[in-house]
């Protein structure tokens, strides 16, 4: 048994993981008290923070009532609680994309792979409407999507049946076909003028949103506008759909007051609880979009850092082990702009294995050894003290790519990027994801100069490649409550991010300038659920 397999103890979002958390449907009174008010009954004050308690007081009650005893929640208690005023301040949620660092294709055949969060992210702005406006709107201008539903017209009866109702603490591993059918009439009117391909994407996004909204919300939910922007290329194998699902999950859980924090001194157990709760419902969103997702993308997007995952039996969830000590590494991501089909590339390897079983199995086993070697290095508590660890990780990247080429899943555009990177000598490059197009990742050498990067950018632009300088292994889901940042503006108290500013932000760079979680600069205002690591991984 591999070293990471023995660590797996729990189930998150349809995946087994090494987080050990007590948040089952039949969880104890103490754990449910934690979910409402922090840890061990600690009360969160009513100051507009997303983790505040609304079980015992409304937002209009005096501060002297902040420390009233907390009643034991019943399965329906959060449906009946008094929501905060519909005129709550606008807030934002953000979650990262991901790349597979080691182990592509081998993971399909029961081997291990390592995936890590990247600093390209999705951002969701939630704006409350006045009480008289009983609508919800989902906007995603980057894909030309905009649709509004009347709240009272949605199929609440179907989602509220005792046999169908799911609660915020539930683990949902499959979609209810009756509930999916109940949503269909409310999806048929989405983007009627769009192309067939665009309409498919729009309906997938709408399906994920509505299923989460109807599962977690109630008919008394306030009218809101949910506006999504993303700095992730859509359809490039970088986990954009999982990033969006995590944002929607976190936003809705914040609105129904079932998340505590994040805050700097949050206990590890409490942070784990919040992360798992967000992840479970993000997995539900992923099922709406992909049908049978592995759960890996949403797990990385929620928790950040990196994970090792392995799936030996497709009738069971994969084993997922968080690498909480994964270092933040400088990375160059290059999009080939070459369309590819994951299923086609997977089929290539399956055909090769059928024709040459012994040789192909040896290649897949070698890729597994690469992933194992990287894991052992990254899991060592003192790995950052090894001045050569970046060199070792880079060499493993080169080996991994060579083995993938042997499986026949590369592409001339991918190989051309590697040639251009090698010319300027700035790092180690491999394809990421299924191959056949898509993207490459380059782990940068520590002594890479700005001049070398500019030289490479000129060469890449000349051949119509798209380059991103990013960080590997950063934070997961975060919240900005309220949606105010201390930017370099004249606005007193900071710059409020409203619908107009968010919609008018020009492209990825505009979104980052306005609200982005910076790569080298921690933006004041953004807060993240983090699991502090004291020893080991």
């Amino acid at each position: 048994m591999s070293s990471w397999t023995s660590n797996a103890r729990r189930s998150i979002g349809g995946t087994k993981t090494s987080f050990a958390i007590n948040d089952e449907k039949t969880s104890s009174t103490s754990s449910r008290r934690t979910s409402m008010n922090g840890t061990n009954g600690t009360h969160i004050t009513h100051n507009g923070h997303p983790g505040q308690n609304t079980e015992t007081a409304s937002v209009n009650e005096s501060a002297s009532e902040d420390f009233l005893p907390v009643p034991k929640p019943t399965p329906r208690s959060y449906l009946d609680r008094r929501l905060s005023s519909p005129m709550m301040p606008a807030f934002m949620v953000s979650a990262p994309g991901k790349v597979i660092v080691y182990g592509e294709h081998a993971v399909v055949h029961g081997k291990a792979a390592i995936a890590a969060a990247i600093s390209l992210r999705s951002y969701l702005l939630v704006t409350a409407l006045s009480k008289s406006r009983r609508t919800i709107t989902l906007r995603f201008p980057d894909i030309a999507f905009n649709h509004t539903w009347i709240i009272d017209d949605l199929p609440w009866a179907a989602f509220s049946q005792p046999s169908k109702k799911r609660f915020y603490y539930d683990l949902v591993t499959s979609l209810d076909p009756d509930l999916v059918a109940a949503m269909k009439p409310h999806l048929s009117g989405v983007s009627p003028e769009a192309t067939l391909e665009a309409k498919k994407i729009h309906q997938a996004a709408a399906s994920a949103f509505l299923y989460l909204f109807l599962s977690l919300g109630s008919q008394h939910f306030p009218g809101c506008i949910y506006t999504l922007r993303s700095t992730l290329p859509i359809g490039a194998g970088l986990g954009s759909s999982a990033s969006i699902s995590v944002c929607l999950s976190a936003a809705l859980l914040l609105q129904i007051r079932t998340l505590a924090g994040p805050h700097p001194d949050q206990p590890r157990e409490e942070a784990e609880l919040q992360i798992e709760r967000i992840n479970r419902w993000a997995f539900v969103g992923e099922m709406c979009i992909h049908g049978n997702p592995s759960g890996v993308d949403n797990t990385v997007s929620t928790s950040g850092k990196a994970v090792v995952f392995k799936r030996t039996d497709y009738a069971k969830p994969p084993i997922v082990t968080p690498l909480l000590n994964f270092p933040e590494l400088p990375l160059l991501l290059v999009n080939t702009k070459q369309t590819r089909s994951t299923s086609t590339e997977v089929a290539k390897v399956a055909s090769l294995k059928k024709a040459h079983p012994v040789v192909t199995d040896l290649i897949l086993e070698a890729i597994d050894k690469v992933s194992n070697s990287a894991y052992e290095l990254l899991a060592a508590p003192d790995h950052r003290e090894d001045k050569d660890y970046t060199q070792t990780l880079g060499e493993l990247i080169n080996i991994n790519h060579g083995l993938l080429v042997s499986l026949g899943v590369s592409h001339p555009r991918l190989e051309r990027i590697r040639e251009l990177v090698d010319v300027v000598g700035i790092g180690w490059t491999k394809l990421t994801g299924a191959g056949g197009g898509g993207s490459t990742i380059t782990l940068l050498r520590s002594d890479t100069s700005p001049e070398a990067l500019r030289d490479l950018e000129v060469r890449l632009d000349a051949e119509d490649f798209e380059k991103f300088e990013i960080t590997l292994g950063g934070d997961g889901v975060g919240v900005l409550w309220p949606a105010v940042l201390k930017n370099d503006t004249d606005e007193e108290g900071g710059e409020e991010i409203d619908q107009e500013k968010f919609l008018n932000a020009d492209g990825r760079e505009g979104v980052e300038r306005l609200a982005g979680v910076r790569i080298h600069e921690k933006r004041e205002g953004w807060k993240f659920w983090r699991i502090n690591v004291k020893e080991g991984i």
Side-chain angles (χ1 to χ4, degrees), residues 103-424:
E104 294 93 339
H105 287 285
V107 71
V108 177
H109 299 273
K111 310 301 182 183
I114 297 177
I118 58 176
S119 54
L120 298 177
R121 307 176 67 94
S122 294
Y123 296 88
L124 174 65
L125 175 65
V126 181
T127 307
L129 301 175
S130 63
K131 291 182 179 180
S132 61
R133 296 181 63 183
R134 303 287 301 141
T135 61
I136 52 168
T137 297
L138 181 63
R139 290 177 174 174
F140 197 169
D142 300 326
I143 59 171
F145 175 75
N146 187 348
H147 192 81
T148 297
W149 294 269
I150 298 172
I151 294 175
D152 295 327
D153 289 349
L154 294 173
W156 295 108
F159 277 78
S160 299
Q161 292 180 46
S163 62
K164 302 293 185 182
K165 181 60 191 173
R166 294 295 178 264
F167 301 96
Y168 68 89
Y169 48 75
D170 283 335
L171 173 63
V172 180
T173 57
S174 62
L175 301 179
D176 188 311
D178 293 335
L179 301 183
V180 172
M183 287 198 315
K184 279 188 177 179
H186 304 275
L187 296 172
S188 60
V190 169
S191 303
E193 305 299 324
T195 65
L196 187 61
E197 183 179 354
K199 189 172 184 178
K200 182 179 179 181
I201 295 172
H202 294 179
Q203 290 194 337
S207 174
F209 171 68
L210 274 190
Y211 201 99
L212 293 182
F213 183 80
L214 288 162
S215 296
L216 293 170
S218 76
Q219 193 167 352
H220 305 294
F221 214 80
C224 287
I225 299 173
Y226 299 84
T227 305
L228 278 160
R229 299 295 305 269
S230 184
T231 62
L232 285 157
I234 306 297
L238 300 176
S240 59
S241 67
S243 175
I244 290 165
S245 293
V246 170
C247 286
L248 292 172
S249 168
L252 290 167
L253 289 167
L254 284 166
Q255 285 187 281
I256 64 172
R257 302 294 194 248
T258 57
L259 294 178
H263 51 84
D265 57 348
Q266 190 167 36
R268 175 178 175 135
E269 294 77 11
E270 183 181 299
E272 288 177 342
L273 179 67
Q274 314 311 307
I275 288 171
E276 178 174 5
R277 189 167 292 158
I278 296 167
N279 195 26
R280 285 181 172 187
W281 285 100
F283 180 72
V284 175
E286 280 284 85
M287 285 192 289
C288 292
I289 296 171
H290 295 297
N292 185 31
S294 69
V296 170
D297 286 12
N298 51 276
T299 299
V300 175
S301 186
T302 306
S303 61
K305 293 297 182 180
V307 301
V308 181
F309 62 97
K310 187 173 185 177
R311 192 170 201 167
T312 55
D313 184 351
Y314 271 76
K316 299 177 181 179
I319 298 166
V320 177
T321 304
L323 279 167
L324 302 177
N325 206 28
F326 193 90
E328 292 193 17
L329 298 169
L331 199 73
L332 192 69
L333 176 73
V334 181
N335 183 6
T336 64
K337 300 184 182 179
Q338 174 66 43
T339 58
R340 84 284 185 273
S341 165
T342 297
S343 59
T344 298
E345 301 307 313
V346 169
K348 281 184 185 178
V349 179
S351 297
L352 189 68
K353 187 175 181 180
K354 184 176 181 179
H356 307 282
V358 175
V359 175
T360 305
D361 281 341
L362 287 172
I363 295 171
L364 295 173
E365 184 65 29
I367 293 175
D368 190 49
K369 295 296 184 185
V370 168
S371 298
N372 198 0
S373 297
Y375 170 81
E376 290 174 355
L377 174 61
L378 293 166
D382 58 349
H383 73 265
R384 300 188 197 195
E385 297 175 10
D386 181 356
K387 63 180 181 181
D388 296 325
Y389 87 92
T390 301
Q391 175 81 23
T392 303
L393 292 175
E395 290 169 351
L396 291 172
I397 280 176
N398 276 348
I399 294 169
N400 198 162
H401 182 81
L403 293 167
L404 291 169
V405 171
S406 299
L407 292 175
V409 295
S410 189
H411 184 276
R413 294 274 288 174
L414 294 167
E415 296 306 312
R416 180 58 179 158
I417 293 170
R418 295 190 79 247
E419 290 174 5
L420 294 173
V421 172
D422 288 345
V423 166
V424 296

Side-chain angles (χ1 to χ4, degrees), residues 7-8 33 145 169 232 260 295 332 335 380 412 463 491 523 532:
N7 289 332
R33 183 180 295 118
F145 175 75
Y169 48 75
L232 285 157
L332 192 69
N335 183 6
E463 299 189 30
E491 294 187 39
R523 206 75 175 266
N532 297 321

Side-chain angles (χ1 to χ4, degrees), residues 459-518:
R459 295 170 186 266
L460 292 171
D461 286 345
E463 299 189 30
D464 196 29
F465 293 112
E466 187 177 26
K467 177 183 75 70
F468 303 89
E469 292 180 42
I470 62 175
T471 299
L472 188 70
D475 284 312
V477 61
V479 60
L480 179 66
W481 185 298
V484 176
L485 283 170
K486 292 189 177 179
N487 293 326
D488 296 328
T489 68
D490 296 328
E491 294 187 39
E492 184 177 355
E495 181 178 8
E496 181 179 352
I497 301 171
D498 57 22
Q499 286 286 326
E500 183 179 3
K501 290 179 182 177
F502 197 46
L503 288 170
N504 290 335
D506 188 9
R508 297 185 184 101
E509 291 183 358
V511 171
E512 284 290 347
R513 280 194 301 270
L514 177 66
V517 178
R518 299 291 178 86

Side-chain angles (χ1 to χ4, degrees), residues 22 29-45 49-54 70 257-261 263 265-267 269-271 273-274 277 529:
N22 181 17
T29 300
S30 63
S31 69
R32 277 180 278 165
R33 183 180 295 118
T34 296
S35 71
M36 296 293 180
N37 303 289
T39 300
N40 299 328
T42 302
H43 293 259
I44 308 300
T45 58
H49 187 276
Q52 73 185 47
N53 171 272
T54 55
V70 181
R257 302 294 194 248
T258 57
L259 294 178
H263 51 84
D265 57 348
Q266 190 167 36
E269 294 77 11
E270 183 181 299
L273 179 67
Q274 314 311 307
R277 189 167 292 158
W529 284 276

